[in-house]
Amino acid sequence: GEVAKGPGEETFVFCNFAKYFKMLPEVFESWVRILLRVPNSVLWMLAYRKDGAAEAIPHLRQVAARMGLDPARIVVTPLLDRERHIQIKSLAHLVLDTSPYNGHLTAAEALWAGLPVLTLPQARLSSRVSSAMLRSLGLHSLLVSRSLQDYEDLAVTLAQSWRRAGRSGGERKKQGKKKKGDGNVGSYDEIVEHIRERRAQRRGFFDTAYWTQAFASAVRVAWDVHVLTSASLDRDPSSPAPKQSSPPRFHIIV
């Protein structure tokens, strides 16, 4: 209820559900600048147990106040029970992803809730997790930014698109569709519809059967390469082949 309420027109809810150690100062300051550019919007975060929330939340609100934002627009709620966790996330409108360490499980759960994720990939693998999910859904050109300024501009544009669509009693007005993946920012409603269609069709990121099979195939290939290289790496080609022995050890870390 606290998240959904806003004075006058309906509130646009930005969110980030990551733990606080992922929130670098420059990224949080970027979120504050986005809120300042989008009137009647809030930033929703979760208070994880044993994550320093008691110390982090007052500090973040102080930073927001110094930048000219009403600290009350930083909304923090407790972590919900597992059964309602993903369902409640759908009350938000747009995830502002952390960088250079993305949301991993939190970003995946947001997409399963039908919630768009805006991300800024960098060089590290940990900063490209969300962009990989979005690419598999055909949304790379719509929700993956190229710079911090682009990240902020895309967030503001999507919020404005949501507002332009008109909200009357929670009803969304119909909009003409734009071509997806054409390099232009699509309408907010179009992006949400696209995610939910892919979820219903179990396509891209939502095709768990495909990803399970692909992972199993990759492990088999890795094993075959490991066996071949282990058998031939230190052996003199002129010496006879060694007697058959048990396979070398092979570890999978998940």
Side-chain angles (χ1 to χ4, degrees):
E2 183 182 4
V3 172
K5 291 177 182 177
E9 63 185 72
E10 193 176 354
T11 303
F12 188 88
V13 181
F14 294 105
C15 65
N16 183 280
F17 300 124
K19 293 188 176 181
Y20 294 100
F21 73 87
K22 294 185 179 182
M23 298 178 188
L24 298 186
E26 56 267 31
V27 174
F28 181 76
E29 290 168 6
S30 175
W31 296 348
V32 173
R33 288 193 294 271
I34 291 168
L35 290 174
L36 288 170
R37 293 173 61 185
V38 182
N40 203 33
S41 63
V42 298
L43 175 62
W44 176 19
M45 298 187 295
L46 296 179
Y48 290 90
R49 293 182 290 275
K50 301 179 181 179
D51 189 40
E55 296 79 20
I57 294 166
H59 175 69
L60 294 176
R61 286 180 168 148
Q62 288 173 7
V63 171
R66 285 200 299 269
M67 294 178 66
L69 183 74
D70 180 358
R73 293 174 66 185
I74 308 295
V75 178
V76 182
T77 62
L79 188 64
L80 301 166
D81 58 90
R82 190 68 187 175
E83 289 71 21
R84 300 173 58 214
H85 186 60
I86 294 179
Q87 180 184 5
I88 293 296
K89 282 183 176 181
S90 64
L91 293 175
H93 298 107
L94 179 66
V95 174
L96 299 176
D97 199 13
T98 47
S99 184
Y101 197 92
N102 289 170
H104 289 47
L105 178 60
T106 54
E109 288 180 339
L111 290 171
W112 274 105
L115 185 59
V117 178
L118 177 62
T119 191
L120 174 59
Q122 297 185 30
R124 294 180 180 180
L125 176 63
S126 60
S127 74
R128 309 183 73 84
V129 173
S130 297
S131 65
M133 297 180 197
L134 294 167
R135 183 181 291 278
S136 76
L137 294 173
L139 291 171
H140 189 268
S141 64
L142 302 176
L143 291 171
V144 178
S145 55
R146 298 180 294 270
S147 66
L148 197 58
Q149 185 61 57
D150 187 39
Y151 176 86
E152 294 177 22
D153 291 342
L154 280 170
V156 173
T157 299
L158 288 167
Q160 291 172 341
S161 167
W162 175 86
R163 191 149 288 155
R164 280 196 303 270
R167 296 314 191 256
S168 175
E171 296 284 337
R172 293 179 177 176
K173 294 181 180 179
K174 296 289 185 179
Q175 298 187 81
K177 291 194 175 183
K178 296 180 182 180
K179 183 181 178 182
K180 298 181 180 69
D182 62 358
N184 299 318
V185 177
S187 72
Y188 174 83
D189 284 353
E190 177 188 62
I191 291 172
V192 171
E193 180 185 2
H194 181 84
I195 293 171
R196 291 176 179 174
E197 283 178 352
R198 293 298 184 272
R199 184 181 62 187
Q201 298 163 355
R202 290 294 191 267
R203 293 176 59 186
F205 165 74
F206 301 112
D207 187 353
T208 52
Y210 166 77
W211 294 114
T212 301
Q213 293 164 8
F215 178 76
S217 297
V219 170
R220 283 193 292 270
V221 170
W223 168 254
D224 291 341
V225 170
H226 178 67
V227 170
L228 289 172
T229 56
S230 298
S232 60
L233 192 59
D234 299 321
R235 188 170 66 85
D236 184 349
S238 62
S239 60
K243 294 181 179 180
Q244 186 70 26
S245 60
S246 60
R249 291 183 178 181
F250 182 69
H251 303 278
I252 301 175
I253 301 174
V254 179

